[in-house]
């Protein structure tokens, strides 16, 4: 190991962070049917199609339960407005089950438009990327062998932490995609609950939670943009190379930890702000 290895190790860790951050910016605005070339979406479509029969069965069941509980000997159905109301509810619920995937894609497009506007209007997330200052790189390359030994330990620990934070950051965005896929695949079952007056709360809760997952993208983008706006670049101190590297990596890792925490808390923020 030598000084070049120390510099390369830090640069590789920073490159991993910047790569995952750029991937985050791409994924958070990507439509679920375009993710991984649409291969995962095709599987979700097959599952969704297979559950349509279950959804139709539950649709009839929930409608019948609501009809029997809310009508006494069917006398209420003799009133035209009551009969029309039940008919409209059944038709609307059937349309929600039949066109559930299209409806959910449209909802995603609306939320994604908000995400795109937030990203474009605030200048993107490129400022959250990190780079190794020239002063520190020069100091590392100029140290002797004995003085470089502490640097190896500091570099290994700092690079490992930054790499872990990088993958935690991108895994959160992947987790959002998986939630969207699961909601879309299982949509016929909860959407069928709209057929019954007493079961419609299930469908409403399902759509609210789905909207919350979609809106997480806006919170993630805003977290990155706000983070890059108020967090300045870590300061470069003078002194021994080991203390300079330790100070710089510690401050950089702390800033990264703040951003990862904000991104991972996107679902909680959406729930607190919008009740979704």
């Amino acid at each position: 190991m030598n000084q070049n290895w120390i510099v390369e190790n830090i640069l590789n860790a920073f490159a991993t962070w910047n790569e995952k951050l750029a991937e985050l910016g791409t994924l958070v605005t990507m439509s679920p049917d375009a993710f991984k070339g649409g291969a995962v979406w095709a599987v979700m479509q097959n599952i969704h199609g297979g559950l349509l029969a279950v959804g139709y069965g539950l649709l009839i069941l929930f409608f019948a339960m609501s009809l029997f509980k809310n009508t006494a000997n069917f006398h209420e159905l003799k009133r035209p407005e009551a009969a029309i109301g039940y008919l409209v509810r059944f038709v609307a619920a059937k349309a929600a089950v039949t066109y559930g995937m299209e409806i959910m894609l449209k909802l995603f497009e609306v939320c994604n438009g908000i995400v795109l506007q937030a990203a474009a209007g605030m200048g993107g997330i490129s400022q959250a990327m990190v780079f190794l200052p020239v002063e520190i790189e020069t100091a590392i390359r100029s140290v002797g062998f004995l003085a470089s030994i502490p640097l190896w330990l500091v570099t290994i620990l700092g690079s490992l932490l930054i790499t872990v934070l990088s993958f935690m950051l991108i895994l959160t965005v992947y987790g959002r995609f998986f939630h969207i896929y699961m909601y879309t695949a299982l949509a016929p079952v909860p959407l069928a609950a709209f057929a019954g007056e007493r079961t419609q709360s299930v469908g409403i809760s399902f759509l609210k939670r789905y909207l919350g997952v979609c809106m997480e993208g806006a919170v993630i983008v805003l977290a990155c943009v706000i983070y890059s706006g108020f967090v300045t670049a870590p300061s470069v101190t003078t002194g021994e190379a080991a203390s300079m590297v330790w100070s710089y990596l510690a401050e950089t890792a702390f800033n990264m930890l703040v951003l990862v925490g904000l991104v991972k808390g996107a679902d909680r923020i959406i729930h607190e702000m919008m009740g979704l």
Side-chain angles (χ1 to χ4, degrees):
M1 294 187 293
N2 53 34
Q3 293 85 339
N4 291 332
W5 176 88
I6 296 174
V7 173
E8 291 175 1
N9 198 27
I10 297 176
L11 291 178
N12 288 336
F14 285 177
T16 301
W17 170 264
N18 294 335
E19 177 187 350
K20 299 305 178 185
L21 195 65
E23 188 178 358
L24 179 149
T26 301
L27 289 176
V28 79
T29 57
M30 182 180 293
S31 176
D33 57 350
F35 180 67
K36 296 297 182 181
V40 183
W41 184 252
V43 177
M44 295 303 105
Q45 284 181 312
N46 293 333
I47 298 174
H48 181 95
L51 289 177
L52 278 177
V54 178
Y56 289 138
L58 292 174
L59 177 74
I60 297 173
L61 176 62
F62 291 146
F63 179 75
M65 290 171 55
S66 177
L67 187 66
F68 294 149
K69 288 183 178 181
N70 295 334
T71 58
N73 298 324
F74 298 98
H75 288 306
E76 185 180 352
L77 295 180
K78 294 180 180 179
R79 295 186 297 113
E81 61 273 18
I84 292 175
Y86 281 108
L87 178 62
V88 169
R89 174 184 290 275
F90 181 81
V91 172
K94 182 179 182 303
V97 174
T98 303
Y99 302 104
M101 182 166 286
E102 290 78 4
I103 293 172
M104 297 182 75
L105 270 179
K106 290 299 181 183
L107 291 175
F108 179 86
E109 289 178 5
V110 172
C111 296
N112 200 40
I114 299 175
V115 176
L116 290 172
Q117 287 294 327
M122 302 186 74
I125 59 176
S126 59
Q127 294 182 4
M129 296 183 177
V130 292
F131 305 94
L132 183 65
V134 177
E135 299 91 337
I136 292 183
E137 182 175 349
T138 302
I140 294 174
R141 295 185 186 278
S142 62
V143 298
F145 175 77
L146 293 179
S148 67
I149 295 177
L151 284 177
W152 295 341
L153 179 60
V154 170
T155 302
I156 291 173
L157 294 177
S159 300
L160 179 61
L161 178 59
I162 292 173
T163 302
V164 170
L165 291 175
S166 303
F167 282 98
M168 288 178 62
L169 186 71
I170 198 63
L171 281 175
T172 303
V173 182
Y174 274 96
R176 172 176 173 263
F177 260 113
F178 295 150
H179 284 143
I180 292 175
Y181 285 139
M182 287 187 285
Y183 274 98
T184 305
L186 301 175
V189 176
L191 290 179
F194 281 111
E197 184 176 350
R198 301 191 181 188
T199 59
Q200 65 180 357
S201 59
V202 176
I204 295 173
S205 176
F206 170 78
L207 290 179
K208 287 175 62 177
R209 292 182 180 276
Y210 175 74
L211 284 174
V213 173
C214 293
M215 286 300 297
E216 285 178 19
V219 175
I220 292 173
V221 170
L222 289 176
C224 294
V225 174
I226 294 173
Y227 163 85
S228 62
F230 80 84
V231 177
T232 58
S235 57
V236 180
T237 59
T238 57
E240 296 183 357
S243 61
M244 290 176 61
V245 173
W246 173 255
S247 176
Y248 184 80
L249 288 181
E251 190 173 352
T252 300
F254 176 78
N255 293 340
M256 292 176 177
L257 185 61
V258 171
L259 178 57
V260 172
L262 290 173
V263 171
K264 289 184 69 65
D267 56 342
R268 178 179 54 83
I269 294 174
I270 284 293
H271 177 72
E272 292 178 353
M273 290 178 58
M274 307 177 67
L276 299 176

